[in-house]
Amino acid sequence: MDSESARRSAAVVGMATLPIGAAILLKPEWVGRTLKLGDHPVALRVIGAADLALVPGLLNGRRRLPWMAARAGLNVAIAAYCAHLARSEGTIGPKVAASALVFATAADARTILALRRGEDRPGATS
Protein backbone atom coordinates (compact mmCIF):
# COMPACT_ATOMS: atom_id res chain seq x y z
CA MET A 1 0.00 0.00 0.00
CA ASP A 2 1.49 3.36 -0.97
CA SER A 3 1.22 6.55 1.06
CA GLU A 4 -1.79 7.99 -0.77
CA SER A 5 -3.65 4.67 -0.55
CA ALA A 6 -2.94 4.60 3.18
CA ARG A 7 -4.29 8.14 3.57
CA ARG A 8 -7.41 7.16 1.62
CA SER A 9 -7.77 4.06 3.80
CA ALA A 10 -7.66 6.25 6.91
CA ALA A 11 -10.38 8.44 5.38
CA VAL A 12 -12.52 5.36 4.68
CA VAL A 13 -12.10 4.34 8.31
CA GLY A 14 -13.24 7.83 9.27
CA MET A 15 -16.26 7.63 6.97
CA ALA A 16 -17.24 4.30 8.54
CA THR A 17 -16.56 5.53 12.07
CA LEU A 18 -18.80 8.59 11.68
CA PRO A 19 -22.18 6.82 11.34
CA ILE A 20 -21.18 4.03 13.71
CA GLY A 21 -20.07 6.46 16.41
CA ALA A 22 -23.15 8.63 15.90
CA ALA A 23 -25.49 5.63 16.18
CA ILE A 24 -23.77 4.40 19.33
CA LEU A 25 -23.82 7.85 20.91
CA LEU A 26 -27.38 8.77 19.96
CA LYS A 27 -29.13 5.39 20.17
CA PRO A 28 -27.16 3.25 22.66
CA GLU A 29 -30.19 1.23 23.74
CA TRP A 30 -30.99 0.32 20.12
CA VAL A 31 -27.35 -0.55 19.38
CA GLY A 32 -27.16 -2.65 22.54
CA ARG A 33 -30.30 -4.59 21.60
CA THR A 34 -29.40 -4.93 17.91
CA LEU A 35 -25.85 -6.17 18.57
CA LYS A 36 -26.93 -8.15 21.64
CA LEU A 37 -24.49 -6.25 23.84
CA GLY A 38 -26.88 -5.91 26.76
CA ASP A 39 -28.12 -2.82 28.57
CA HIS A 40 -25.07 -0.56 28.92
CA PRO A 41 -26.12 2.83 27.53
CA VAL A 42 -23.53 4.91 29.41
CA ALA A 43 -20.62 2.73 28.29
CA LEU A 44 -21.93 2.70 24.74
CA ARG A 45 -22.30 6.48 24.72
CA VAL A 46 -18.68 6.81 25.85
CA ILE A 47 -17.61 4.50 23.02
CA GLY A 48 -19.66 6.49 20.51
CA ALA A 49 -18.20 9.80 21.72
CA ALA A 50 -14.67 8.40 21.52
CA ASP A 51 -15.33 7.18 17.98
CA LEU A 52 -16.62 10.58 16.93
CA ALA A 53 -13.62 12.36 18.46
CA LEU A 54 -11.38 10.51 15.98
CA VAL A 55 -13.38 11.30 12.85
CA PRO A 56 -11.98 14.77 12.04
CA GLY A 57 -8.39 13.55 12.14
CA LEU A 58 -9.14 10.43 10.14
CA LEU A 59 -10.94 12.40 7.45
CA ASN A 60 -8.97 15.63 7.27
CA GLY A 61 -5.89 15.39 9.44
CA ARG A 62 -2.68 16.60 7.82
CA ARG A 63 -1.09 13.54 9.43
CA ARG A 64 -3.33 10.50 9.68
CA LEU A 65 -0.92 8.18 11.50
CA PRO A 66 -1.71 9.39 15.06
CA TRP A 67 -5.42 9.17 14.36
CA MET A 68 -5.16 5.64 12.97
CA ALA A 69 -3.03 4.62 15.94
CA ALA A 70 -5.66 6.06 18.29
CA ARG A 71 -8.37 4.23 16.33
CA ALA A 72 -6.48 0.94 16.71
CA GLY A 73 -5.94 1.57 20.42
CA LEU A 74 -9.62 2.37 20.90
CA ASN A 75 -10.55 -0.82 19.05
CA VAL A 76 -8.39 -2.84 21.44
CA ALA A 77 -9.97 -1.15 24.47
CA ILE A 78 -13.50 -1.72 23.14
CA ALA A 79 -12.65 -5.36 22.32
CA ALA A 80 -11.41 -5.83 25.89
CA TYR A 81 -14.65 -4.33 27.21
CA CYS A 82 -16.67 -6.64 24.96
CA ALA A 83 -14.63 -9.64 26.15
CA HIS A 84 -15.43 -8.60 29.73
CA LEU A 85 -19.15 -8.39 28.84
CA ALA A 86 -18.98 -11.82 27.19
CA ARG A 87 -17.49 -13.34 30.34
CA SER A 88 -19.76 -11.56 32.80
CA GLU A 89 -23.02 -11.90 30.86
CA GLY A 90 -22.39 -15.06 28.88
CA THR A 91 -23.92 -13.69 25.68
CA ILE A 92 -22.73 -14.07 22.10
CA GLY A 93 -23.05 -10.45 20.96
CA PRO A 94 -19.98 -9.17 22.81
CA LYS A 95 -17.94 -12.13 21.53
CA VAL A 96 -18.87 -11.29 17.96
CA ALA A 97 -18.12 -7.59 18.52
CA ALA A 98 -14.73 -8.35 20.08
CA SER A 99 -13.82 -10.63 17.18
CA ALA A 100 -14.86 -8.01 14.62
CA LEU A 101 -12.78 -5.39 16.40
CA VAL A 102 -9.72 -7.66 16.35
CA PHE A 103 -10.06 -8.01 12.57
CA ALA A 104 -10.63 -4.27 12.15
CA THR A 105 -7.53 -3.57 14.20
CA ALA A 106 -5.48 -5.91 12.03
CA ALA A 107 -6.66 -4.02 8.95
CA ASP A 108 -5.88 -0.72 10.68
CA ALA A 109 -2.37 -1.99 11.43
CA ARG A 110 -1.72 -2.44 7.72
CA THR A 111 -2.70 1.18 7.13
CA ILE A 112 -0.60 2.35 10.09
CA LEU A 113 2.47 0.57 8.73
CA ALA A 114 1.96 2.08 5.29
CA LEU A 115 1.56 5.54 6.79
CA ARG A 116 4.80 5.06 8.73
CA ARG A 117 6.67 3.91 5.62
CA GLY A 118 5.36 6.87 3.62
CA GLU A 119 6.17 9.37 6.37
CA ASP A 120 2.43 10.19 6.52
CA ARG A 121 2.31 13.47 4.68
CA PRO A 122 0.11 14.53 1.78
CA GLY A 123 1.73 13.79 -1.56
CA ALA A 124 4.36 11.46 -0.10
CA THR A 125 5.15 8.37 -2.10
CA SER A 126 6.69 5.12 -0.99
Side-chain angles (χ1 to χ4, degrees), residues 54 66-78 101 104-106 108-109 112:
L54 297 174
W67 298 99
M68 282 301 298
R71 169 78 259 166
L74 182 59
N75 283 350
V76 170
I78 297 168
L101 286 162
T105 304
D108 290 349
I112 290 167

Side-chain angles (χ1 to χ4, degrees), residues 20-44:
I20 293 168
I24 295 170
L25 178 65
L26 299 173
K27 298 284 189 177
E29 295 87 0
W30 178 81
V31 170
R33 275 191 317 276
T34 302
L35 299 180
K36 301 190 182 343
L37 296 174
D39 186 27
H40 307 281
V42 173
L44 290 174

